[in-house]
Amino acid sequence: MRILLIGGTGTISGAVTRQLAAEGHDVWVLNRGHRREVLPEGVRLVVADIHDEAAVDGLLGDVVFDAVCEFVGFRAEQVERDFRLFRCRTRQYVFVSSASACHKPVRHYLVSEGTTLANPYWQYSRDKIACEERLMHYYRAEGFPVTIVRPSHTYGERKVPVGLHGAKGSWQVLRRMLEGRPVLVHGDGSSLWTMTWNEDFARGFVGLLGNPHAIGEAFQIMSDESLTWNQIYETIAGCLGVTCKPYHVASDFLAAVAPKDYDVEGNLLGDKACSVVFDCTKLKRMVPGWQAETRFEEGVGRSIAYVLRHQECQVADPVFDEWCDRVIAAQESAYRCFAK
């Protein structure tokens, strides 16, 4: 198949690019060319800014794709642009949405493709919902061949996934663990969550491409492994060879006192603080034999090993570090007030 990936070098899209290339497909990647060195041999790079509609239109000419996969679409006007660009250029348009679009507050712990979409806490999720609604309108009214994919917390080797971190990523959380200091864990750490290794996601995603039964449908792609946040942090600490010292703080308090650029209200109240289990039965029916194979302990061990070997991944965040200490000090002060 001839497949165009818009993005193609990120945590999720990069894994999809590698999977497609390994299977021998004619893979095209459209992005600004900043990370061309990570592309597999044989992948065709189209250097362009997808927001420059006229330039992209000219570069693609009359090429028709079996599938176009949009990994960097976040607002309704962007999928409207894609509709104009690709309505006559693709047999399938795959939009990467987000499982965070599913109803918050959670009405039922088990989340499927039939779960209502609503999220009052996170603009990111509301924008993804608007994208889905616009695309389904184009499918129903214009026959635009849409497939919607909803990942959740998908990770790869370059970043260690955690529940709460600052503007510079998760390294500072790992550094606190390595230094024997407490790390903030939202709530009491008992809510359930799912982490998905990006290569597992990619195999499920690729299985939907070229599948006529996937047109007009939405699919979740996640691991079946559910862990509490306490287990997640304990696993990370174990891979680091240290003891985890979780410090539990209510999610709504963290959202109220966090700097705005941490987007804690969206990331926690609108997503990670919710105890959910994802039902991927629909995907397994559509892609026979697919199963997420990478346990979190295995995947995060790879991530940690990579980060520890690569200094460029170890970005210190003293502002986040200081904020963590202030939150802990404030809660300890409150404890002392009531202990008198």
Side-chain angles (χ1 to χ4, degrees):
M1 292 187 292
R2 179 183 293 159
I3 300 165
L4 174 67
L5 300 151
I6 304 171
T9 58
T11 298
I12 293 179
S13 63
V16 172
T17 300
R18 293 190 296 273
Q19 179 73 29
L20 289 168
E23 293 185 7
H25 295 285
D26 180 10
V27 185
W28 297 41
V29 167
L30 191 156
N31 61 40
R32 289 173 290 182
H34 296 328
R35 298 189 66 215
R36 64 182 71 202
E37 73 280 357
V38 305
L39 292 174
E41 185 177 353
V43 171
R44 185 180 310 206
L45 176 62
V46 180
V47 178
D49 184 341
I50 186 60
H51 303 298
D52 188 343
E53 183 175 344
V56 172
D57 186 58
L59 285 169
L60 295 180
D62 58 0
V63 178
V64 175
F65 298 93
D66 294 292
V68 170
C69 307
E70 173 61 273
F71 291 93
V72 293
F74 301 102
R75 298 189 305 277
E77 61 267 24
Q78 293 170 339
V79 298
E80 290 170 357
R81 171 208 63 215
D82 285 359
F83 173 70
R84 293 189 296 268
L85 280 170
F86 300 113
R87 61 186 304 181
C88 297
R89 283 192 172 105
T90 188
R91 299 178 181 90
Q92 183 182 23
Y93 173 90
V94 184
F95 176 72
V96 178
S97 183
S98 169
S100 69
C102 295
H103 202 287
K104 307 296 181 305
V106 172
R107 290 180 170 176
H108 193 277
Y109 79 96
L110 192 61
V111 175
S112 72
E113 291 83 357
T115 299
T116 302
L117 304 184
N119 194 327
Y121 302 109
W122 207 359
Q123 186 62 47
Y124 164 82
S125 303
R126 293 194 292 275
D127 287 340
K128 287 289 192 181
I129 293 169
C131 289
E132 288 197 27
E133 291 175 341
R134 193 64 51 86
L135 288 168
M136 291 308 295
H137 165 76
Y138 289 139
Y139 167 69
R140 296 184 181 106
E142 306 283 347
F144 191 50
V146 173
T147 299
I148 292 168
V149 170
R150 297 185 192 131
S152 184
H153 204 157
T154 308
Y155 69 105
E157 65 178 10
R158 293 179 60 85
K159 294 181 181 178
V160 177
V162 297
L164 179 68
H165 60 73
K168 296 184 178 180
S170 63
W171 168 250
Q172 194 65 46
V173 178
L174 273 64
R175 184 171 176 177
R176 290 180 71 92
M177 287 185 178
L178 290 167
E179 293 172 351
R181 301 163 66 196
V183 294
L184 297 181
V185 178
H186 58 274
D188 64 0
S190 66
S191 60
L192 292 172
W193 194 242
T194 298
M195 303 284 197
T196 305
W197 182 247
N198 60 353
E199 293 174 354
D200 287 335
F201 174 92
R203 288 187 295 102
F205 184 96
V206 170
L208 294 172
L209 301 184
N211 190 330
H213 301 294
I215 304 300
E217 300 289 341
F219 298 90
Q220 298 182 156
I221 306 179
M222 298 90 170
S223 171
D224 288 328
E225 182 184 32
S226 295
L227 300 167
T228 68
W229 280 103
N230 286 332
Q231 290 174 313
I232 289 168
Y233 279 92
E234 288 166 3
T235 301
I236 293 170
C239 292
L240 289 169
V242 299
T243 299
C244 183
K245 296 181 179 178
Y247 192 90
H248 297 107
V249 181
S251 297
D252 53 359
F253 180 78
L254 291 169
V257 302
K260 288 186 177 180
D261 60 346
Y262 294 2
D263 198 10
V264 173
E265 181 178 36
N267 275 292
L268 289 188
L269 302 185
D271 198 25
K272 297 177 182 65
C274 305
S275 190
V276 295
V277 175
F278 296 103
D279 179 2
C280 292
T281 303
K282 184 177 180 180
L283 176 71
K284 292 173 184 177
R285 286 199 306 265
M286 193 65 61
V287 187
W290 179 84
Q291 182 74 39
E293 299 173 351
T294 308
R295 299 189 322 274
F296 180 65
E297 180 180 8
E298 178 186 355
V300 81
R302 296 179 199 168
S303 302
I304 289 170
Y306 184 94
V307 168
L308 292 178
R309 290 196 308 269
H310 292 79
Q311 193 73 30
E312 69 273 14
C313 297
Q314 301 172 24
V315 181
D317 193 345
V319 175
F320 174 73
D321 200 44
E322 188 268 341
W323 178 75
C324 290
D325 290 338
R326 287 172 57 203
V327 170
I328 293 170
Q331 186 157 293
E332 289 297 310
S333 177
Y335 286 149
R336 288 193 295 271
C337 288
F338 284 94
K340 294 178 180 178

